[in-house]
Amino acid sequence: MTRSATAPPSYAGPLILALESSCDETAVAIADGLDHILASEISSQVELHRPYGGVVPELASRNHNLNLRPLIDLALEKAGVSIEVIDVFAATAGPGLASSLLIGNTTAKALALAAGGKPFYSINHMEGHLLSPFMGDPEGIRPCAALVVSGGHTLLIHLRGLGDYQLLGTTRDDAAGEAFDKVAKMLGLPYPGGPEIDRQARAGDPAAFDFPRSMIDSGDLGFSFSGLKTAMFYQLPKLDQPLSPTCLADLCASFQEAVVDVLVAKALTAIRQTGETLLTLSGGVSCNHRLREKMSAACEKNGIELKIAAPAWCTDNAAMIAYVAAAKALHGVEPSSLDEDVNPNLRLAD
Ligand code: KG4
Ligand code: ZN
């Protein structure tokens, strides 16, 4: 660990060190208050898990253990600060894989304790995704309807202020990212499938196959993506194998279009229901180029302000965890107890 007591030349504070290890990315960030991310390091385990077609929990936690300490050193070095000047420690507490969460969470608690009992915040990973569109925004966190689409979650939330979240709708079965990953696997595309489908879809015709838009007219804000996965499962045997590059691209574009249409329609209903004028979009799936394109067009047409998380903060990272910790510290939220356990099923809102 870096030992010299170096502080940034001038800083707003508090200086936050945040760790993220909920799934297969080990991530460390150092932030100066809400507005300055001084370092954001990510060590991806994608190559390690690819041969298995998904995340292997034991492999993930063992590698978090190996990667975390050097990554903390690297982040401190890049930020130009030493561990002694960190004011606040933070780590993801859930949702995620218990054995992975424990590595980052326990390390951050130990660092806070070793620093003489400095404040420690347990952060909900989904709150990181939820607030990520506001990172770098001088106006700060504002009331909005929020669509958070990740590998494990599809959430529509009415955000009224920091810590004041109402769940408007979620999925009955698969999350949007999970549907992308499972369909990609069916199509023989490498893990993780979401970015791969996005890439293939660029050359495809979104109207080539008529996949279902499940629950698009249900009138509520619930989602269901398992029927779409099943539709792909029954479509594939009807096609010439191996799939031609054109057919593969058309399948990807048509599948993606079905997911995107539902996400856009539900987000528009949510914003109407909440009476807000701002819609935010975040989580890994919000990297998707077609979702960004169609959501932007729909919002422009309906006079809705849209804030999408910057691509670097869409997928898992520790900067979004540092941002939530900074917001909590600056709003006077009590730090977490070091006795607080991680929670693989941690909920963001009810
Ligand atoms: O937020 P995230 O990094 O991790 C979770 O908290 O789950 O989201 C990962 C998910 C994966 O399912 C991945 O396939 C999906 O986001 N994803 C995408 C794209 N980039 C990542 N899905 C569709 N299009 C993309 N470009
Ligand atoms: Zn995530």
Side-chain angles (χ1 to χ4, degrees), residues 1 13 71 201:
M1 298 265 160
L71 210 60

Side-chain angles (χ1 to χ4, degrees), residues 20 22-23 95 125-126 129 148-153 283-284 314-317 320:
E20 155 63 40
S22 61
C23 191
H125 180 83
M126 299 314 294
H129 281 306
V148 187
V149 269
S150 71
H153 296 79
C314 284
T315 47
D316 289 348
N317 66 86
M320 67 182 188

Side-chain angles (χ1 to χ4, degrees), residues 132-133 147 149 180 198 202 256-257 259-261 263-264 279-300 306-315:
S132 61
L147 174 61
V149 269
F180 267 95
D198 191 351
R202 285 173 189 267
Q256 177 176 275
E257 200 73 4
V259 177
V260 168
D261 282 351
L263 293 176
V264 171
L279 176 72
T280 63
L281 176 60
S282 58
V285 181
S286 63
C287 284
N288 185 271
H289 87 278
R290 189 66 175 149
L291 177 59
R292 294 174 93 94
E293 198 174 86
K294 284 197 112 173
M295 195 69 90
S296 301
C299 286
E300 202 176 316
L306 175 67
K307 279 182 81 66
I308 310 181
W313 312 138
C314 284
T315 47

Side-chain angles (χ1 to χ4, degrees), residues 31-310:
D32 175 9
L34 281 172
D35 296 329
H36 303 285
I37 304 296
L38 303 178
S40 175
E41 297 304 312
I42 301 174
S43 169
S44 172
Q45 299 183 16
V46 160
E47 295 306 326
L48 212 67
H49 297 276
R50 184 165 286 143
Y52 305 95
V55 178
V56 182
E58 188 179 330
L59 210 55
S61 57
R62 280 168 179 257
N63 279 280
H64 285 313
N65 211 13
L66 289 173
N67 297 338
L68 196 51
R69 205 188 137 109
L71 210 60
I72 292 171
D73 278 347
L74 183 65
L76 288 167
E77 197 185 314
K78 288 212 172 162
V81 300
S82 71
I83 193 107
E84 289 86 353
V85 299
I86 298 293
D87 301 307
V88 169
F89 293 83
T92 306
L97 299 168
S99 51
S100 287
L101 289 164
L102 276 167
I103 308 291
N105 198 264
T106 308
T107 304
K109 284 173 180 165
L111 288 173
L113 204 58
K118 295 229 178 121
F120 164 77
Y121 285 96
S122 257
I123 306 293
N124 185 315
H125 180 83
M126 299 314 294
E127 190 171 14
H129 281 306
L130 176 71
L131 300 185
S132 61
F134 296 104
M135 290 169 71
D137 180 349
E139 283 187 68
I141 299 161
R142 284 179 283 147
C144 63
L147 174 61
V148 187
V149 269
S150 71
H153 296 79
T154 306
L155 306 173
L156 272 167
I157 287 176
H158 186 187
L159 187 162
R160 300 192 199 91
L162 179 71
D164 186 359
Y165 314 130
Q166 184 198 354
L167 181 67
L168 303 171
T170 185
T171 181
R172 296 185 174 182
D173 36 62
D174 293 350
E178 194 179 352
F180 267 95
D181 295 338
K182 287 179 175 170
V183 162
K185 209 170 181 176
M186 273 185 219
L187 295 172
L189 297 172
Y191 164 85
E196 201 56 38
I197 289 190
D198 191 351
R199 208 168 5 255
Q200 293 282 344
R202 285 173 189 267
D205 173 5
F209 296 91
D210 187 19
F211 286 125
R213 271 74 173 155
S214 303
M215 294 181 66
I216 201 164
D217 297 318
S218 62
D220 65 9
L221 294 171
F223 298 89
S224 168
F225 293 108
S226 69
L228 179 54
K229 193 180 63 187
T230 310
M232 178 66 83
F233 181 79
Y234 283 113
Q235 182 63 57
L236 284 178
K238 296 180 193 156
L239 303 169
D240 290 339
Q241 303 290 336
L243 297 172
S244 69
T246 309
C247 184
L248 180 62
D250 286 348
L251 282 169
C252 288
S254 302
F255 161 79
Q256 177 176 275
E257 200 73 4
V259 177
V260 168
D261 282 351
V262 175
L263 293 176
V264 171
K266 297 277 175 171
L268 291 183
T269 310
I271 193 116
R272 271 184 224 115
Q273 262 186 32
T274 56
E276 301 292 356
T277 53
L278 172 67
L279 176 72
T280 63
L281 176 60
S282 58
V285 181
S286 63
C287 284
N288 185 271
H289 87 278
R290 189 66 175 149
L291 177 59
R292 294 174 93 94
E293 198 174 86
K294 284 197 112 173
M295 195 69 90
S296 301
C299 286
E300 202 176 316
K301 190 172 159 209
N302 289 279
I304 298 161
E305 185 190 352
L306 175 67
K307 279 182 81 66
I308 310 181

